[in-house]
PDB file of all heavy atoms in Angstrom:
ATOM      1  N   ARG B   1      14.607  12.066  24.522  1.00  0.00           N
ATOM      2  CA  ARG B   1      13.935  10.920  23.931  1.00  0.00           C
ATOM      3  C   ARG B   1      12.441  10.996  24.325  1.00  0.00           C
ATOM      4  O   ARG B   1      12.085  11.318  25.440  1.00  0.00           O
ATOM      5  CB  ARG B   1      14.542   9.619  24.420  1.00  0.00           C
ATOM      6  CG  ARG B   1      15.982   9.505  23.994  1.00  0.00           C
ATOM      7  CD  ARG B   1      16.484   8.103  24.245  1.00  0.00           C
ATOM      8  NE  ARG B   1      17.874   7.962  23.906  1.00  0.00           N
ATOM      9  CZ  ARG B   1      18.304   7.566  22.720  1.00  0.00           C
ATOM     10  NH1 ARG B   1      17.483   7.193  21.803  1.00  0.00           N
ATOM     11  NH2 ARG B   1      19.613   7.489  22.506  1.00  0.00           N
ATOM     12  N   HIS B   2      11.620  10.664  23.356  1.00  0.00           N
ATOM     13  CA  HIS B   2      10.169  10.632  23.592  1.00  0.00           C
ATOM     14  C   HIS B   2       9.690   9.211  23.454  1.00  0.00           C
ATOM     15  O   HIS B   2      10.125   8.465  22.567  1.00  0.00           O
ATOM     16  CB  HIS B   2       9.454  11.510  22.557  1.00  0.00           C
ATOM     17  CG  HIS B   2       9.800  12.967  22.706  1.00  0.00           C
ATOM     18  ND1 HIS B   2       9.226  13.793  23.635  1.00  0.00           N
ATOM     19  CD2 HIS B   2      10.704  13.714  22.036  1.00  0.00           C
ATOM     20  CE1 HIS B   2       9.716  14.995  23.532  1.00  0.00           C
ATOM     21  NE2 HIS B   2      10.626  14.994  22.566  1.00  0.00           N
ATOM     22  N   VAL B   3       8.798   8.835  24.320  1.00  0.00           N
ATOM     23  CA  VAL B   3       8.274   7.479  24.294  1.00  0.00           C
ATOM     24  C   VAL B   3       6.935   7.505  23.585  1.00  0.00           C
ATOM     25  O   VAL B   3       6.106   8.376  23.823  1.00  0.00           O
ATOM     26  CB  VAL B   3       8.093   6.946  25.753  1.00  0.00           C
ATOM     27  CG1 VAL B   3       7.515   5.557  25.757  1.00  0.00           C
ATOM     28  CG2 VAL B   3       9.413   6.998  26.492  1.00  0.00           C
ATOM     29  N   ALA B   4       6.727   6.538  22.730  1.00  0.00           N
ATOM     30  CA  ALA B   4       5.474   6.441  21.980  1.00  0.00           C
ATOM     31  C   ALA B   4       4.356   6.040  22.952  1.00  0.00           C
ATOM     32  O   ALA B   4       4.616   5.305  23.909  1.00  0.00           O
ATOM     33  CB  ALA B   4       5.599   5.432  20.858  1.00  0.00           C
ATOM     34  N   PRO B   5       3.136   6.482  22.703  1.00  0.00           N
ATOM     35  CA  PRO B   5       2.024   6.096  23.590  1.00  0.00           C
ATOM     36  C   PRO B   5       1.769   4.602  23.531  1.00  0.00           C
ATOM     37  O   PRO B   5       2.118   3.960  22.537  1.00  0.00           O
ATOM     38  CB  PRO B   5       0.817   6.899  23.034  1.00  0.00           C
ATOM     39  CG  PRO B   5       1.231   7.373  21.704  1.00  0.00           C
ATOM     40  CD  PRO B   5       2.693   7.366  21.642  1.00  0.00           C
ATOM     41  N   PRO B   6       1.172   4.073  24.539  1.00  0.00           N
ATOM     42  CA  PRO B   6       0.884   2.633  24.590  1.00  0.00           C
ATOM     43  C   PRO B   6      -0.011   2.227  23.399  1.00  0.00           C
ATOM     44  O   PRO B   6      -0.945   2.912  23.030  1.00  0.00           O
ATOM     45  CB  PRO B   6       0.145   2.395  25.889  1.00  0.00           C
ATOM     46  CG  PRO B   6       0.410   3.593  26.717  1.00  0.00           C
ATOM     47  CD  PRO B   6       0.722   4.715  25.785  1.00  0.00           C
ATOM     48  N   GLY B   7       0.339   1.133  22.762  1.00  0.00           N
ATOM     49  CA  GLY B   7      -0.455   0.616  21.647  1.00  0.00           C
ATOM     50  C   GLY B   7      -0.132   1.275  20.328  1.00  0.00           C
ATOM     51  O   GLY B   7      -0.794   0.990  19.331  1.00  0.00           O
ATOM     52  N   PHE B   8       0.843   2.173  20.296  1.00  0.00           N
ATOM     53  CA  PHE B   8       1.160   2.880  19.059  1.00  0.00           C
ATOM     54  C   PHE B   8       1.625   1.952  17.960  1.00  0.00           C
ATOM     55  O   PHE B   8       1.111   1.972  16.833  1.00  0.00           O
ATOM     56  CB  PHE B   8       2.213   3.955  19.330  1.00  0.00           C
ATOM     57  CG  PHE B   8       2.633   4.707  18.107  1.00  0.00           C
ATOM     58  CD1 PHE B   8       1.823   5.721  17.578  1.00  0.00           C
ATOM     59  CD2 PHE B   8       3.855   4.425  17.486  1.00  0.00           C
ATOM     60  CE1 PHE B   8       2.220   6.403  16.452  1.00  0.00           C
ATOM     61  CE2 PHE B   8       4.244   5.133  16.380  1.00  0.00           C
ATOM     62  CZ  PHE B   8       3.433   6.099  15.823  1.00  0.00           C
ATOM     63  N   SER B   9       2.575   1.081  18.279  1.00  0.00           N
ATOM     64  CA  SER B   9       3.085   0.182  17.226  1.00  0.00           C
ATOM     65  C   SER B   9       2.030  -0.785  16.780  1.00  0.00           C
ATOM     66  O   SER B   9       1.958  -1.146  15.583  1.00  0.00           O
ATOM     67  CB  SER B   9       4.328  -0.570  17.749  1.00  0.00           C
ATOM     68  OG  SER B   9       3.998  -1.328  18.884  1.00  0.00           O
ATOM     69  N   ALA B  10       1.150  -1.278  17.682  1.00  0.00           N
ATOM     70  CA  ALA B  10       0.100  -2.166  17.288  1.00  0.00           C
ATOM     71  C   ALA B  10      -0.878  -1.461  16.330  1.00  0.00           C
ATOM     72  O   ALA B  10      -1.349  -2.069  15.363  1.00  0.00           O
ATOM     73  CB  ALA B  10      -0.650  -2.686  18.520  1.00  0.00           C
ATOM     74  N   GLU B  11      -1.198  -0.209  16.613  1.00  0.00           N
ATOM     75  CA  GLU B  11      -2.108   0.546  15.730  1.00  0.00           C
ATOM     76  C   GLU B  11      -1.475   0.772  14.370  1.00  0.00           C
ATOM     77  O   GLU B  11      -2.164   0.637  13.344  1.00  0.00           O
ATOM     78  CB  GLU B  11      -2.436   1.904  16.399  1.00  0.00           C
ATOM     79  CG  GLU B  11      -3.432   2.708  15.662  1.00  0.00           C
ATOM     80  CD  GLU B  11      -3.754   4.030  16.331  1.00  0.00           C
ATOM     81  OE1 GLU B  11      -3.690   4.088  17.572  1.00  0.00           O
ATOM     82  OE2 GLU B  11      -4.078   4.980  15.603  1.00  0.00           O
ATOM     83  N   VAL B  12      -0.195   1.084  14.336  1.00  0.00           N
ATOM     84  CA  VAL B  12       0.496   1.288  13.062  1.00  0.00           C
ATOM     85  C   VAL B  12       0.482  -0.016  12.242  1.00  0.00           C
ATOM     86  O   VAL B  12       0.168  -0.006  11.036  1.00  0.00           O
ATOM     87  CB  VAL B  12       1.919   1.804  13.277  1.00  0.00           C
ATOM     88  CG1 VAL B  12       2.730   1.741  11.964  1.00  0.00           C
ATOM     89  CG2 VAL B  12       1.880   3.226  13.810  1.00  0.00           C
ATOM     90  N   MET B  13       0.805  -1.131  12.875  1.00  0.00           N
ATOM     91  CA  MET B  13       0.835  -2.404  12.189  1.00  0.00           C
ATOM     92  C   MET B  13      -0.537  -2.801  11.716  1.00  0.00           C
ATOM     93  O   MET B  13      -0.714  -3.383  10.633  1.00  0.00           O
ATOM     94  CB  MET B  13       1.447  -3.485  13.072  1.00  0.00           C
ATOM     95  CG  MET B  13       2.925  -3.283  13.341  1.00  0.00           C
ATOM     96  SD  MET B  13       3.933  -2.988  11.872  1.00  0.00           S
ATOM     97  CE  MET B  13       3.737  -4.514  11.015  1.00  0.00           C
ATOM     98  N   GLU B  14      -1.584  -2.499  12.489  1.00  0.00           N
ATOM     99  CA  GLU B  14      -2.942  -2.796  12.055  1.00  0.00           C
ATOM    100  C   GLU B  14      -3.314  -2.000  10.810  1.00  0.00           C
ATOM    101  O   GLU B  14      -3.923  -2.528   9.888  1.00  0.00           O
ATOM    102  CB  GLU B  14      -3.919  -2.452  13.213  1.00  0.00           C
ATOM    103  CG  GLU B  14      -5.368  -2.796  12.880  1.00  0.00           C
ATOM    104  CD  GLU B  14      -6.262  -2.473  14.052  1.00  0.00           C
ATOM    105  OE1 GLU B  14      -5.870  -2.647  15.210  1.00  0.00           O
ATOM    106  OE2 GLU B  14      -7.403  -1.972  13.775  1.00  0.00           O
ATOM    107  N   ARG B  15      -2.898  -0.737  10.755  1.00  0.00           N
ATOM    108  CA  ARG B  15      -3.174   0.072   9.563  1.00  0.00           C
ATOM    109  C   ARG B  15      -2.410  -0.436   8.355  1.00  0.00           C
ATOM    110  O   ARG B  15      -2.920  -0.451   7.260  1.00  0.00           O
ATOM    111  CB  ARG B  15      -2.801   1.540   9.803  1.00  0.00           C
ATOM    112  CG  ARG B  15      -3.759   2.261  10.715  1.00  0.00           C
ATOM    113  CD  ARG B  15      -3.364   3.723  10.803  1.00  0.00           C
ATOM    114  NE  ARG B  15      -4.228   4.429  11.732  1.00  0.00           N
ATOM    115  CZ  ARG B  15      -4.132   5.705  12.014  1.00  0.00           C
ATOM    116  NH1 ARG B  15      -3.168   6.419  11.470  1.00  0.00           N
ATOM    117  NH2 ARG B  15      -4.949   6.263  12.855  1.00  0.00           N
ATOM    118  N   VAL B  16      -1.180  -0.852   8.579  1.00  0.00           N
ATOM    119  CA  VAL B  16      -0.380  -1.397   7.463  1.00  0.00           C
ATOM    120  C   VAL B  16      -1.031  -2.669   6.938  1.00  0.00           C
ATOM    121  O   VAL B  16      -1.127  -2.871   5.736  1.00  0.00           O
ATOM    122  CB  VAL B  16       1.070  -1.653   7.951  1.00  0.00           C
ATOM    123  CG1 VAL B  16       1.836  -2.493   6.928  1.00  0.00           C
ATOM    124  CG2 VAL B  16       1.785  -0.345   8.205  1.00  0.00           C
ATOM    125  N   ASP B  17      -1.476  -3.542   7.846  1.00  0.00           N
ATOM    126  CA  ASP B  17      -2.080  -4.792   7.419  1.00  0.00           C
ATOM    127  C   ASP B  17      -3.409  -4.598   6.761  1.00  0.00           C
ATOM    128  O   ASP B  17      -3.806  -5.433   5.914  1.00  0.00           O
ATOM    129  CB  ASP B  17      -2.265  -5.726   8.633  1.00  0.00           C
ATOM    130  CG  ASP B  17      -0.940  -6.253   9.148  1.00  0.00           C
ATOM    131  OD1 ASP B  17       0.052  -6.262   8.381  1.00  0.00           O
ATOM    132  OD2 ASP B  17      -0.899  -6.661  10.343  1.00  0.00           O
ATOM    133  N   SER B  18      -4.124  -3.515   7.058  1.00  0.00           N
ATOM    134  CA  SER B  18      -5.436  -3.297   6.445  1.00  0.00           C
ATOM    135  C   SER B  18      -5.340  -2.715   5.030  1.00  0.00           C
ATOM    136  O   SER B  18      -6.289  -2.745   4.269  1.00  0.00           O
ATOM    137  CB  SER B  18      -6.288  -2.347   7.309  1.00  0.00           C
ATOM    138  OG  SER B  18      -5.723  -1.029   7.295  1.00  0.00           O
ATOM    139  N   GLN B  19      -4.152  -2.225   4.663  1.00  0.00           N
ATOM    140  CA  GLN B  19      -3.972  -1.656   3.314  1.00  0.00           C
ATOM    141  C   GLN B  19      -3.864  -2.795   2.308  1.00  0.00           C
ATOM    142  O   GLN B  19      -3.221  -3.803   2.585  1.00  0.00           O
ATOM    143  CB  GLN B  19      -2.692  -0.808   3.255  1.00  0.00           C
ATOM    144  CG  GLN B  19      -2.734   0.422   4.106  1.00  0.00           C
ATOM    145  CD  GLN B  19      -3.741   1.423   3.663  1.00  0.00           C
ATOM    146  OE1 GLN B  19      -3.918   1.628   2.470  1.00  0.00           O
ATOM    147  NE2 GLN B  19      -4.437   2.030   4.591  1.00  0.00           N
ATOM    148  N   PRO B  20      -4.499  -2.640   1.147  1.00  0.00           N
ATOM    149  CA  PRO B  20      -4.371  -3.718   0.130  1.00  0.00           C
ATOM    150  C   PRO B  20      -2.949  -3.759  -0.396  1.00  0.00           C
ATOM    151  O   PRO B  20      -2.263  -2.773  -0.532  1.00  0.00           O
ATOM    152  CB  PRO B  20      -5.355  -3.251  -0.974  1.00  0.00           C
ATOM    153  CG  PRO B  20      -5.515  -1.789  -0.759  1.00  0.00           C
ATOM    154  CD  PRO B  20      -5.320  -1.542   0.697  1.00  0.00           C
ATOM    155  N   VAL B  21      -2.546  -4.971  -0.698  1.00  0.00           N
ATOM    156  CA  VAL B  21      -1.201  -5.191  -1.212  1.00  0.00           C
ATOM    157  C   VAL B  21      -1.217  -4.890  -2.698  1.00  0.00           C
ATOM    158  O   VAL B  21      -2.030  -5.420  -3.451  1.00  0.00           O
ATOM    159  CB  VAL B  21      -0.740  -6.661  -0.955  1.00  0.00           C
ATOM    160  CG1 VAL B  21       0.612  -6.895  -1.585  1.00  0.00           C
ATOM    161  CG2 VAL B  21      -0.748  -6.954   0.508  1.00  0.00           C
ATOM    162  N   LYS B  22      -0.316  -4.022  -3.107  1.00  0.00           N
ATOM    163  CA  LYS B  22      -0.241  -3.674  -4.503  1.00  0.00           C
ATOM    164  C   LYS B  22       0.955  -4.405  -5.133  1.00  0.00           C
ATOM    165  O   LYS B  22       2.050  -4.302  -4.668  1.00  0.00           O
ATOM    166  CB  LYS B  22      -0.061  -2.165  -4.714  1.00  0.00           C
ATOM    167  CG  LYS B  22      -1.272  -1.363  -4.328  1.00  0.00           C
ATOM    168  CD  LYS B  22      -1.076   0.087  -4.643  1.00  0.00           C
ATOM    169  CE  LYS B  22      -2.306   0.889  -4.299  1.00  0.00           C
ATOM    170  NZ  LYS B  22      -2.169   2.296  -4.619  1.00  0.00           N
ATOM    171  N   GLY B  23       0.646  -5.130  -6.159  1.00  0.00           N
ATOM    172  CA  GLY B  23       1.698  -5.826  -6.893  1.00  0.00           C
ATOM    173  C   GLY B  23       1.599  -5.436  -8.349  1.00  0.00           C
ATOM    174  O   GLY B  23       0.878  -4.508  -8.724  1.00  0.00           O
ATOM    175  N   PHE B  24       2.279  -6.145  -9.172  1.00  0.00           N
ATOM    176  CA  PHE B  24       2.240  -5.878 -10.600  1.00  0.00           C
ATOM    177  C   PHE B  24       0.896  -6.323 -11.136  1.00  0.00           C
ATOM    178  O   PHE B  24       0.495  -7.450 -10.974  1.00  0.00           O
ATOM    179  CB  PHE B  24       3.354  -6.599 -11.367  1.00  0.00           C
ATOM    180  CG  PHE B  24       3.301  -6.387 -12.816  1.00  0.00           C
ATOM    181  CD1 PHE B  24       3.703  -5.180 -13.362  1.00  0.00           C
ATOM    182  CD2 PHE B  24       2.807  -7.350 -13.668  1.00  0.00           C
ATOM    183  CE1 PHE B  24       3.646  -4.963 -14.727  1.00  0.00           C
ATOM    184  CE2 PHE B  24       2.776  -7.157 -15.031  1.00  0.00           C
ATOM    185  CZ  PHE B  24       3.192  -5.963 -15.567  1.00  0.00           C
ATOM    186  N   ALA B  25       0.203  -5.410 -11.764  1.00  0.00           N
ATOM    187  CA  ALA B  25      -1.099  -5.745 -12.367  1.00  0.00           C
ATOM    188  C   ALA B  25      -0.962  -5.631 -13.894  1.00  0.00           C
ATOM    189  O   ALA B  25      -0.506  -4.634 -14.391  1.00  0.00           O
ATOM    190  CB  ALA B  25      -2.171  -4.805 -11.865  1.00  0.00           C
ATOM    191  N   PHE B  26      -1.345  -6.670 -14.550  1.00  0.00           N
ATOM    192  CA  PHE B  26      -1.193  -6.683 -16.012  1.00  0.00           C
ATOM    193  C   PHE B  26      -2.208  -5.781 -16.677  1.00  0.00           C
ATOM    194  O   PHE B  26      -1.920  -5.175 -17.683  1.00  0.00           O
ATOM    195  CB  PHE B  26      -1.356  -8.147 -16.521  1.00  0.00           C
ATOM    196  CG  PHE B  26      -1.205  -8.287 -18.004  1.00  0.00           C
ATOM    197  CD1 PHE B  26       0.073  -8.127 -18.560  1.00  0.00           C
ATOM    198  CD2 PHE B  26      -2.265  -8.538 -18.824  1.00  0.00           C
ATOM    199  CE1 PHE B  26       0.257  -8.257 -19.915  1.00  0.00           C
ATOM    200  CE2 PHE B  26      -2.104  -8.641 -20.171  1.00  0.00           C
ATOM    201  CZ  PHE B  26      -0.845  -8.514 -20.734  1.00  0.00           C
ATOM    202  N   LEU B  27      -3.423  -5.668 -16.071  1.00  0.00           N
ATOM    203  CA  LEU B  27      -4.467  -4.900 -16.723  1.00  0.00           C
ATOM    204  C   LEU B  27      -4.152  -3.426 -16.952  1.00  0.00           C
ATOM    205  O   LEU B  27      -4.308  -2.923 -18.057  1.00  0.00           O
ATOM    206  CB  LEU B  27      -5.771  -5.038 -15.929  1.00  0.00           C
ATOM    207  CG  LEU B  27      -7.016  -4.501 -16.575  1.00  0.00           C
ATOM    208  CD1 LEU B  27      -7.247  -5.180 -17.923  1.00  0.00           C
ATOM    209  CD2 LEU B  27      -8.230  -4.712 -15.684  1.00  0.00           C
ATOM    210  N   PRO B  28      -3.634  -2.667 -15.946  1.00  0.00           N
ATOM    211  CA  PRO B  28      -3.317  -1.258 -16.233  1.00  0.00           C
ATOM    212  C   PRO B  28      -2.227  -1.115 -17.307  1.00  0.00           C
ATOM    213  O   PRO B  28      -2.242  -0.212 -18.102  1.00  0.00           O
ATOM    214  CB  PRO B  28      -2.847  -0.704 -14.907  1.00  0.00           C
ATOM    215  CG  PRO B  28      -3.433  -1.590 -13.880  1.00  0.00           C
ATOM    216  CD  PRO B  28      -3.542  -2.938 -14.526  1.00  0.00           C
ATOM    217  N   PHE B  29      -1.250  -2.016 -17.273  1.00  0.00           N
ATOM    218  CA  PHE B  29      -0.165  -1.985 -18.246  1.00  0.00           C
ATOM    219  C   PHE B  29      -0.713  -2.261 -19.649  1.00  0.00           C
ATOM    220  O   PHE B  29      -0.395  -1.586 -20.585  1.00  0.00           O
ATOM    221  CB  PHE B  29       0.873  -3.061 -17.850  1.00  0.00           C
ATOM    222  CG  PHE B  29       2.052  -3.078 -18.733  1.00  0.00           C
ATOM    223  CD1 PHE B  29       2.986  -2.082 -18.678  1.00  0.00           C
ATOM    224  CD2 PHE B  29       2.268  -4.129 -19.612  1.00  0.00           C
ATOM    225  CE1 PHE B  29       4.120  -2.106 -19.491  1.00  0.00           C
ATOM    226  CE2 PHE B  29       3.380  -4.188 -20.416  1.00  0.00           C
ATOM    227  CZ  PHE B  29       4.313  -3.172 -20.361  1.00  0.00           C
ATOM    228  N   PHE B  30      -1.616  -3.228 -19.753  1.00  0.00           N
ATOM    229  CA  PHE B  30      -2.213  -3.582 -21.051  1.00  0.00           C
ATOM    230  C   PHE B  30      -3.165  -2.504 -21.525  1.00  0.00           C
ATOM    231  O   PHE B  30      -3.271  -2.234 -22.713  1.00  0.00           O
ATOM    232  CB  PHE B  30      -2.965  -4.903 -20.872  1.00  0.00           C
ATOM    233  CG  PHE B  30      -3.583  -5.410 -22.158  1.00  0.00           C
ATOM    234  CD1 PHE B  30      -2.822  -5.857 -23.198  1.00  0.00           C
ATOM    235  CD2 PHE B  30      -4.958  -5.468 -22.283  1.00  0.00           C
ATOM    236  CE1 PHE B  30      -3.380  -6.318 -24.358  1.00  0.00           C
ATOM    237  CE2 PHE B  30      -5.554  -5.906 -23.427  1.00  0.00           C
ATOM    238  CZ  PHE B  30      -4.782  -6.351 -24.503  1.00  0.00           C
ATOM    239  N   ALA B  31      -3.844  -1.811 -20.575  1.00  0.00           N
ATOM    240  CA  ALA B  31      -4.822  -0.804 -20.950  1.00  0.00           C
ATOM    241  C   ALA B  31      -4.164   0.364 -21.670  1.00  0.00           C
ATOM    242  O   ALA B  31      -4.770   0.972 -22.554  1.00  0.00           O
ATOM    243  CB  ALA B  31      -5.546  -0.274 -19.697  1.00  0.00           C
ATOM    244  N   ARG B  32      -2.951   0.668 -21.342  1.00  0.00           N
ATOM    245  CA  ARG B  32      -2.243   1.760 -22.061  1.00  0.00           C
ATOM    246  C   ARG B  32      -2.056   1.412 -23.536  1.00  0.00           C
ATOM    247  O   ARG B  32      -2.256   2.278 -24.394  1.00  0.00           O
ATOM    248  CB  ARG B  32      -0.886   2.015 -21.429  1.00  0.00           C
ATOM    249  CG  ARG B  32      -0.963   2.638 -20.048  1.00  0.00           C
ATOM    250  CD  ARG B  32       0.411   2.870 -19.498  1.00  0.00           C
ATOM    251  NE  ARG B  32       0.290   3.434 -18.163  1.00  0.00           N
ATOM    252  CZ  ARG B  32       1.320   3.552 -17.356  1.00  0.00           C
ATOM    253  NH1 ARG B  32       2.519   3.147 -17.725  1.00  0.00           N
ATOM    254  NH2 ARG B  32       1.159   4.029 -16.155  1.00  0.00           N
ATOM    255  N   PHE B  33      -1.712   0.191 -23.789  1.00  0.00           N
ATOM    256  CA  PHE B  33      -1.507  -0.219 -25.189  1.00  0.00           C
ATOM    257  C   PHE B  33      -2.852  -0.272 -25.939  1.00  0.00           C
ATOM    258  O   PHE B  33      -2.902   0.061 -27.105  1.00  0.00           O
ATOM    259  CB  PHE B  33      -0.807  -1.583 -25.274  1.00  0.00           C
ATOM    260  CG  PHE B  33       0.637  -1.491 -24.876  1.00  0.00           C
ATOM    261  CD1 PHE B  33       1.066  -2.012 -23.694  1.00  0.00           C
ATOM    262  CD2 PHE B  33       1.543  -0.843 -25.692  1.00  0.00           C
ATOM    263  CE1 PHE B  33       2.403  -1.935 -23.333  1.00  0.00           C
ATOM    264  CE2 PHE B  33       2.862  -0.745 -25.354  1.00  0.00           C
ATOM    265  CZ  PHE B  33       3.299  -1.297 -24.164  1.00  0.00           C
ATOM    266  N   VAL B  34      -3.894  -0.648 -25.258  1.00  0.00           N
ATOM    267  CA  VAL B  34      -5.216  -0.681 -25.874  1.00  0.00           C
ATOM    268  C   VAL B  34      -5.654   0.739 -26.244  1.00  0.00           C
ATOM    269  O   VAL B  34      -6.168   0.975 -27.342  1.00  0.00           O
ATOM    270  CB  VAL B  34      -6.242  -1.384 -24.947  1.00  0.00           C
ATOM    271  CG1 VAL B  34      -7.648  -1.208 -25.461  1.00  0.00           C
ATOM    272  CG2 VAL B  34      -5.922  -2.863 -24.791  1.00  0.00           C
ATOM    273  N   LYS B  35      -5.460   1.663 -25.346  1.00  0.00           N
ATOM    274  CA  LYS B  35      -5.811   3.066 -25.623  1.00  0.00           C
ATOM    275  C   LYS B  35      -5.038   3.607 -26.832  1.00  0.00           C
ATOM    276  O   LYS B  35      -5.613   4.278 -27.690  1.00  0.00           O
ATOM    277  CB  LYS B  35      -5.540   3.945 -24.393  1.00  0.00           C
ATOM    278  CG  LYS B  35      -6.503   3.745 -23.260  1.00  0.00           C
ATOM    279  CD  LYS B  35      -6.100   4.604 -22.085  1.00  0.00           C
ATOM    280  CE  LYS B  35      -6.953   4.322 -20.875  1.00  0.00           C
ATOM    281  NZ  LYS B  35      -6.548   5.079 -19.688  1.00  0.00           N
ATOM    282  N   ALA B  36      -3.762   3.324 -26.852  1.00  0.00           N
ATOM    283  CA  ALA B  36      -2.975   3.802 -28.010  1.00  0.00           C
ATOM    284  C   ALA B  36      -3.434   3.142 -29.305  1.00  0.00           C
ATOM    285  O   ALA B  36      -3.511   3.797 -30.333  1.00  0.00           O
ATOM    286  CB  ALA B  36      -1.483   3.477 -27.756  1.00  0.00           C
TER     287      ALA B  36
END
């Protein structure tokens, strides 16, 4: 068993929280139909 370095989980969670949340966006979906 290997132990993670101190602060590892806090650093991972900070990176996860800093990422923008991607949800359903109507614009890219609509843009495909506009192009067609």
Side-chain angles (χ1 to χ4, degrees):
R1 297 192 183 265
H2 296 278
V3 180
F8 178 76
S9 61
E11 184 179 330
V12 168
M13 292 309 296
E14 183 180 321
R15 286 185 184 179
V16 168
D17 290 339
S18 68
Q19 296 294 320
V21 177
K22 292 185 178 181
F24 177 76
F26 182 70
L27 190 58
F29 183 71
F30 182 69
R32 290 182 183 169
F33 289 109
V34 170
K35 288 178 186 177

